[in-house]
Amino acid sequence: MLDPSLIIIPLLQYNNASLTEDKEELFYPPVELDNFSVKYSLSAFKGIIRELRKKFFDDLSWFRLALEADQMSLTHGFSELLCVKHLEEHWKRVGVVPYPHQIKTAENVLKNLRGQAILADEVGLGKTIEAGMILKEYMLRGFVKKALILTPASLCWQWYQELYEKFNIQTAIQKSEWDWEYADVLIASLDTAKREPHASIIQNIAYDMLIIDEAHKLKNNNTIAWKFVNSLQKKYCLMLTATPIQNDLKELYNLITLLKPGQLGSYREFKKKFMLDKRTPKNPEKLKELLSGVLIRNRRGEGTVQFTERHVHPIIVELSPEERKLYDQITNFIKKSSQLLPFQANILPLLTLQREVCSSFIATAITLEKMCQQNQLGPESGLNQLLQDVLKLRVNSKYDVTERLIRQINDRVIIFTEYRASQEYIRYRLEQVGFKTLGFDGSLSRGRKEWIRYLFQKEGGVLVSTESGGEGLNFQFCNQIINYDLPWNPMRLEQRIGRVHRLGQTRDVHIYNLVTKDTVEEHIMYLLHEKINMFQMVLGELDAILLHLNLNKSIEAQLMEIFLKHNTKAEIHHELDKLGEQIMKGREELKKQEWNIY
C-alpha cells in the first residue's frame, strides 16, 4: 500500500502528453489509498510521477484556478450565478454590493429568457450592473468571447469604467474602423456604428453578445439606427431603457421585434389583439404574459433600492437696484422687439439676455456684444445702449449668495450654470477668496473629464459645471448641488441631480436652487417646484410624461410664449397652472398605462 503523503496531484502544464497515453487503460481498476480512491490509467499515473520528479508543475494558486475553471466547465445550468462568487473578493475591495433585484434579474435572463431581454428598470436601479453581471456570467462559462456595446457617445467612458471597476472586464472604446474586428469586447457610439464604412464592417461580424444602452432611441423601425441594429448577427442581446413606451404601443412592438422577432406576431396581429388605440392596451393580462418572456421591469420601492432623501432648498436672491434696472430695461426691450426686425424671426437671443442678467453681468455683456456685431447695430441702437449700461455694473447678487452658501456647506459642492462666461466668473471670484475650484464643460476631452472627476473626489473643493459638462460621469461621492441658473426644461434639471442622486449614494442629497426674485427664474421655480413637484420625480418618468403629452411645441417654446404674451405675475402663473395640470394629468395616464402593461 502506498503512503498517501507521497501522492501529490499537481496542475500539469496544458497539453501534457502523459495524460493522453494509452486511452484504452483509462478505466484501470482504482488504487485504494486509505479512505479515498483515485482512478487513473496506469500510464497516466506513471506520467504524474515522472512529472513530479522533474518538478514540472505549477504552484497551488494555479491549481486552485484550474480547479475552479474545471468546476465551471461542468456547470451547465444557471441555478446559481458563478459571477457572484467569482467577483466576491473583488466587490469587497471596490465596495460593490449587488442588490437582490439585480441578481434575480440576471438569473431570469440567463435561465428563462435565454440571453434575449429588454432591461427596463426605472432610472437609478442599476440596469448597467445587471447587464454587466449577465455579460460576466456568459464570459465565465465560455459562451461569450466577442461582444459589442452600443451606447450614446457621452456614455462610452462610463460603460468602460463600470465594466472594468465592477466586473474586471477589459474593454476597448472604438476609435477607428480597425477596432471593430480586433477588440473582443468593444464599446462604441451607436451614431458612429450605423454610418459607413463602419456599418458594413460590423454587419459581417458574428457577435456572441450585443448590448444596447438607451434602447428607446430605436423605437422607430423606419430609422437607419433600427435597420442597422436589426441587421446585426448576435447570439445574445440586451437592450437597456427606462422608457420602453414613450408615446405609442408600436414603439414597444418595434423594440421587441428587434430582440425577438415573432414574439408579438405581426404588427397587424398585435394591433388587433392588444391595442384599443395607440396608447391604450387591451387584453392586458395576455400582453403581460407575452412581455414577461422578453422584458423585465423593476420599480423603485420595497424589494429593490431605497434611495436616500432629496432635500430641496429654494433660495431667493434679491437683485441690487442696478441689476433690477438692467433686468427691467431688457424685459421692456424684449416686449417691444418681439414684433420688430432683426429679431422677429428669432426672439430666443433676447430671452437668453433676460436670463443672463439673472446669472452674471459678464455673460450678459458678451451676448450683447455678439448680437450687436452679428446684426451690425450702431452706437445709437437700443442694444448698444444696454451694453454700455452692463459694462458699468460691478455687483453680482447671485454670486454673493453663492459664496456665503458654500461657506455654510463646508463640503464638496457642484455648481451648475447655463453659461460658460458665468462659469469662469464664478471660478475667478471663488479662487480670489481662497476656494479650490475645478471647471467642467463640454469642450473637455473624455480623459480630461475623468481626471477632473478624480481630482474632485480625491481633493474636494468646488466643481463648477456647465450643462454639457455634466453628461456621462457620476458623482455619488458628492451630495451637495447648487443650481446657480435654472434650466427651462425640467429634464435637464433632473439630469443634473441624477449625477449625484443615484445608486451608490449613501447620504441625503441637498439641492439649492438660486432664484432671482420677480424674474423669469421665479416663474420657472413656481412651475417646477409648486405645480409639478418635479424634484420628487426621476428622469425616466419625466421623459416619458413629456413625450406622452405629445405637445405641439417643446416645453421651452411653450414657456417662451407664456412669458412673451403675458405681463403680470398673476397672468403668467395662471398659464403655468394650466401647463402644470396638463403635465400632472399626463403623469397619471402614464402610470395607469404602465400598470396595464408591465
Side-chain angles (χ1 to χ4, degrees):
M1 181 72 78
L2 292 171
D3 182 352
S5 64
L6 297 176
I7 296 186
I8 303 171
I9 303 176
L11 172 66
L12 298 175
Q13 293 287 356
Y14 186 63
N15 282 339
N16 188 330
S18 64
L19 284 182
T20 62
E21 292 174 1
D22 301 319
K23 291 182 182 177
E24 67 277 5
E25 298 179 18
L26 186 60
F27 298 103
Y28 187 85
V31 179
E32 296 294 333
L33 299 174
D34 292 344
N35 296 326
F36 66 93
S37 65
V38 182
K39 185 185 278 188
Y40 284 116
S41 74
L42 184 60
S43 58
F45 185 78
K46 289 177 180 178
I48 289 173
I49 299 300
R50 283 199 303 271
E51 300 305 329
L52 281 171
R53 286 172 179 163
K54 294 177 186 175
K55 296 186 178 180
F56 192 59
F57 54 86
D58 291 308
D59 60 30
L60 188 60
S61 63
W62 276 102
F63 167 70
R64 286 174 175 160
L65 187 64
L67 187 62
E68 184 180 350
D70 191 53
Q71 289 171 343
M72 287 179 182
S73 69
L74 296 173
T75 307
H76 299 293
F78 293 102
S79 57
E80 184 180 348
L81 294 181
L82 302 177
C83 67
V84 174
K85 186 177 180 181
H86 178 80
L87 292 167
E88 188 175 6
E89 291 302 318
H90 177 72
W91 280 345
K92 283 180 184 176
R93 287 196 300 273
V94 298
V96 173
V97 180
Y99 288 89
H101 78 273
Q102 294 169 341
I103 294 174
K104 187 178 177 182
T105 295
E107 288 174 343
N108 190 4
V109 171
L110 292 156
K111 285 195 289 186
N112 303 319
L113 307 190
R114 300 180 181 274
Q116 309 280 348
I118 296 175
L119 304 181
D121 293 359
E122 289 184 346
V123 170
L125 294 185
K127 292 184 290 294
T128 309
I129 301 291
E130 293 166 356
M133 289 175 70
I134 295 163
L135 174 60
K136 185 70 175 182
E137 187 73 19
Y138 276 131
M139 292 176 79
L140 286 173
R141 293 172 183 267
F143 296 154
V144 169
K145 292 182 180 178
K146 187 82 171 172
L148 176 63
I149 299 160
L150 296 176
T151 178
S154 61
L155 298 180
C156 286
W157 182 256
Q158 187 175 312
W159 268 91
Y160 176 90
Q161 209 176 21
E162 291 268 311
L163 291 177
Y164 178 70
E165 290 181 359
K166 293 184 171 65
F167 300 98
N168 224 356
I169 296 175
Q170 294 279 358
T171 63
I173 296 177
Q174 186 271 332
K175 293 180 180 177
S176 73
E177 60 187 82
W178 310 110
D179 296 329
W180 304 113
E181 293 181 285
Y182 293 107
D184 287 333
V185 183
L186 186 65
I187 301 167
S189 157
L190 176 58
D191 285 336
T192 299
K194 71 184 183 184
R195 297 196 305 263
E196 294 295 349
H198 309 289
S200 295
I201 299 170
I202 301 166
Q203 286 162 347
N204 286 320
I205 299 172
Y207 289 100
D208 298 313
M209 175 166 277
L210 175 66
I211 298 175
I212 303 170
D213 198 4
E214 303 287 335
H216 51 266
K217 295 182 178 179
L218 299 172
K219 63 186 179 182
N220 187 341
N221 63 346
N222 292 317
T223 62
I224 294 172
W226 191 95
K227 291 172 182 175
F228 164 72
V229 171
N230 193 44
S231 71
L232 298 184
Q233 304 174 59
K234 67 265 187 192
K235 183 164 49 171
Y236 307 114
C237 183
L238 301 176
M239 302 174 74
L240 284 59
T241 173
T243 53
I245 302 175
Q246 294 178 316
N247 197 39
D248 192 336
L249 284 166
K250 187 180 179 182
E251 298 167 359
L252 180 63
Y253 177 86
N254 289 337
L255 284 182
I256 291 173
T257 300
L258 268 182
L259 191 71
K260 205 170 180 182
Q263 176 73 4
L264 300 176
S266 68
Y267 178 62
R268 181 178 291 179
E269 292 171 335
F270 174 75
K271 190 174 180 180
K272 184 179 179 181
K273 290 180 183 177
F274 300 113
M275 291 175 63
L276 288 174
D277 58 48
K278 70 176 186 176
R279 296 183 180 184
T280 311
K282 65 178 178 181
N283 299 327
E285 293 307 315
K286 179 63 178 174
L287 181 57
K288 281 182 184 180
E289 184 185 333
L290 285 172
L291 290 179
S292 67
V294 73
L295 185 145
I296 300 172
R297 184 170 179 84
N298 295 303
R299 290 184 171 86
R300 293 185 180 213
E302 206 169 324
T304 53
V305 178
Q306 298 297 323
F307 279 80
T308 58
E309 295 292 324
R310 286 184 181 184
H311 301 282
V312 182
H313 310 279
I315 298 176
I316 303 300
V317 178
E318 288 270 7
L319 292 176
S320 67
E322 300 94 330
E323 291 170 308
R324 171 57 61 189
K325 181 183 176 183
L326 180 63
Y327 180 84
D328 291 341
Q329 284 178 313
I330 287 177
T331 301
N332 292 332
F333 186 85
I334 291 170
K335 298 291 183 184
K336 293 175 184 176
S337 299
S338 61
Q339 302 300 321
L340 302 173
L341 291 172
F343 306 106
Q344 189 173 5
N346 185 11
I347 198 69
L348 184 59
L350 292 174
L351 286 172
T352 300
L353 267 180
Q354 193 181 32
R355 298 173 66 198
E356 283 176 332
V357 176
C358 302
S359 181
S360 70
F361 58 84
I362 297 292
T364 314
I366 290 173
T367 300
L368 278 169
E369 188 176 25
K370 284 180 181 176
M371 289 172 69
C372 289
Q373 290 174 354
Q374 288 171 358
N375 295 285
Q376 299 179 340
L377 302 177
E380 71 289 345
S381 70
L383 280 183
N384 238 314
Q385 293 299 317
L386 286 172
L387 176 59
Q388 301 312 311
D389 291 337
V390 172
L391 294 174
K392 295 173 187 175
L393 271 178
R394 290 296 179 269
V395 293
N396 193 297
S397 301
K398 188 180 275 190
Y399 168 80
D400 295 339
V401 171
T402 302
E403 186 182 320
R404 290 197 296 270
L405 183 58
I406 292 171
R407 292 186 189 278
Q408 289 172 16
I409 292 170
N410 193 29
D411 197 357
R412 288 184 186 85
V413 182
I414 300 177
I415 299 176
F416 281 104
T417 177
E418 295 272 281
Y419 313 106
R420 282 290 298 276
S422 293
Q423 178 197 38
E424 292 172 8
Y425 173 76
I426 294 165
R427 291 190 65 196
Y428 172 78
R429 291 286 302 272
L430 287 174
E431 288 177 359
Q432 288 294 103
V433 293
F435 287 101
K436 177 181 174 60
T437 76
L438 294 162
F440 216 66
D441 61 72
S443 69
L444 298 174
S445 67
R446 185 186 297 132
R448 184 66 180 165
K449 282 184 179 181
E450 182 58 34
W451 173 244
I452 290 172
R453 180 187 180 276
Y454 170 79
L455 290 177
F456 185 48
Q457 182 173 13
K458 193 82 173 171
E459 300 175 9
V462 181
L463 180 71
V464 187
S465 178
T466 62
E467 205 70 48
S468 58
E471 293 178 358
L473 290 177
N474 300 325
F475 299 88
Q476 296 97 319
F477 52 84
C478 175
N479 70 324
Q480 309 282 344
I481 292 176
I482 296 175
N483 285 309
Y484 189 87
D485 304 311
L486 287 173
W488 285 16
N489 191 323
M491 282 173 57
R492 288 171 57 201
L493 190 54
E494 175 55 37
Q495 283 168 339
R496 294 176 178 182
I497 299 167
R499 302 271 64 82
V500 301
H501 194 234
R502 60 191 304 112
L503 213 60
Q505 178 59 263
T506 58
R507 298 177 291 172
D508 285 358
V509 172
H510 293 269
I511 303 149
Y512 303 89
N513 296 312
L514 303 189
V515 183
T516 48
K517 189 177 180 182
D518 296 324
T519 68
V520 288
E521 281 191 339
E522 188 176 11
H523 303 322
I524 294 296
M525 193 61 188
Y526 172 79
L527 174 68
L528 299 180
H529 194 271
E530 296 186 35
K531 294 309 299 177
I532 64 174
N533 197 22
M534 194 228 76
F535 295 96
Q536 302 310 316
M537 295 186 193
V538 292
L539 183 61
E541 180 184 15
L542 205 55
D543 185 14
I545 291 167
L546 294 178
L547 284 162
H548 186 78
L549 291 175
N550 202 20
L551 301 171
N552 293 326
K553 300 177 183 176
S554 68
I555 195 163
E556 292 100 325
Q558 295 217 38
L559 290 170
M560 191 188 303
E561 192 173 288
I562 290 170
F563 297 146
L564 283 172
K565 283 185 177 179
H566 304 281
N567 295 312
T568 68
K569 185 174 181 178
E571 289 174 339
I572 290 171
H573 280 204
H574 177 69
E575 294 300 316
L576 293 177
D577 285 344
K578 291 197 291 188
L579 180 58
E581 286 164 10
Q582 194 178 359
I583 291 171
M584 295 309 289
K585 184 180 177 183
R587 185 185 192 188
E588 291 306 313
E589 288 177 358
L590 194 64
K591 280 188 175 179
K592 184 179 177 183
Q593 181 192 66
E594 285 200 0
W595 282 110
N596 281 334
I597 294 173
Y598 307 131

